[in-house]
């Protein structure tokens, strides 16, 4: 068993994520999302950024290592009637099931930063992003009083 997967499947992260919904919507509102944009939300949790992106018309795939969060994201997307948003289980450091240059935008907000092999994650994010596409990351910065960049 992947220890990172086991860790994220232990608790109910959805309770914590509920307090982050407004910030997820605000962030997505700044990304210039348009109808039909192909978006990958990596380390997506239960969809704090994926669902707002889909509401703006993007075709969104959320990938997370934790099956319980993937299930929660799919339930939320279905309840919201978002056929353009789906979630699947996957490891940010090995996205072999995703094709090269597939996404216009790859987003990871406090998700991929927890992956044990960050260099592999960076390579995969670049590989699945189309030429001219964007990668947007939100990460905690050790020792920085704001914690976020």
């Amino acid at each position: 068993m992947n220890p990172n997967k086991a860790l994220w499947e232990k608790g109910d992260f959805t309770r914590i994520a509920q307090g982050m919904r407004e910030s997820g919507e605000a962030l997505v509102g700044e990304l210039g999302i348009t109808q039909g944009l192909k978006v990958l939300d990596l380390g997506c949790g239960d969809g704090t950024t994926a669902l707002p992106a889909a509401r703006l018309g993007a075709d969104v795939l959320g990938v997370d290592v934790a099956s319980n969060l993937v299930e929660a994201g799919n339930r939320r997307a279905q309840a919201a009637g978002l056929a353009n948003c789906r979630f699947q289980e996957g490891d940010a450091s090995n996205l072999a099931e995703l094709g090269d240059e597939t996404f216009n935008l790859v987003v990871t907000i406090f998700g991929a930063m927890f992956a044990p092999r960050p260099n592999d994650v960076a390579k995969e994010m670049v590989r699945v992003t189309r030429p001219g596409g964007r990668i947007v990351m939100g990460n905690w910065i050790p020792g920085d009083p704001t914690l976020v960049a």
Side-chain angles (χ1 to χ4, degrees), residues 17-146:
Q18 288 172 354
M20 301 165 59
R21 303 281 188 237
E22 286 182 32
S23 62
E25 289 178 18
L27 171 73
V28 167
E30 298 293 322
L31 294 177
I33 295 199
T34 57
Q35 187 77 26
L37 195 75
K38 301 285 186 201
V39 176
L40 171 63
D41 186 356
L42 193 54
C44 61
D46 70 348
T48 298
T49 53
L51 270 70
R55 284 188 200 104
L56 292 175
D59 182 14
V60 182
L61 172 62
V63 173
D64 201 283
V65 70
S67 60
N68 58 330
L69 296 177
V70 168
E71 291 168 10
N74 279 319
R75 281 193 306 272
R76 290 186 66 223
Q78 184 177 17
L82 295 170
N84 58 327
C85 185
R86 65 185 179 86
F87 297 80
Q88 70 183 40
E89 192 173 331
D91 183 337
S93 63
N94 182 359
L95 300 170
E97 70 280 1
L98 303 180
D100 294 352
E101 302 178 358
T102 302
F103 299 94
N104 306 101
L105 175 62
V106 175
V107 178
T108 180
I109 307 302
F110 314 129
M113 70 181 203
F114 290 108
R117 295 185 314 276
N119 289 340
D120 291 345
V121 174
K123 287 177 187 174
E124 286 293 84
M125 290 172 67
V126 169
R127 182 184 65 76
V128 301
T129 303
R130 291 180 177 165
R134 296 179 295 152
I135 297 173
V136 176
M137 297 183 78
N139 296 297
W140 297 339
I141 303 172
D144 186 303
T146 65

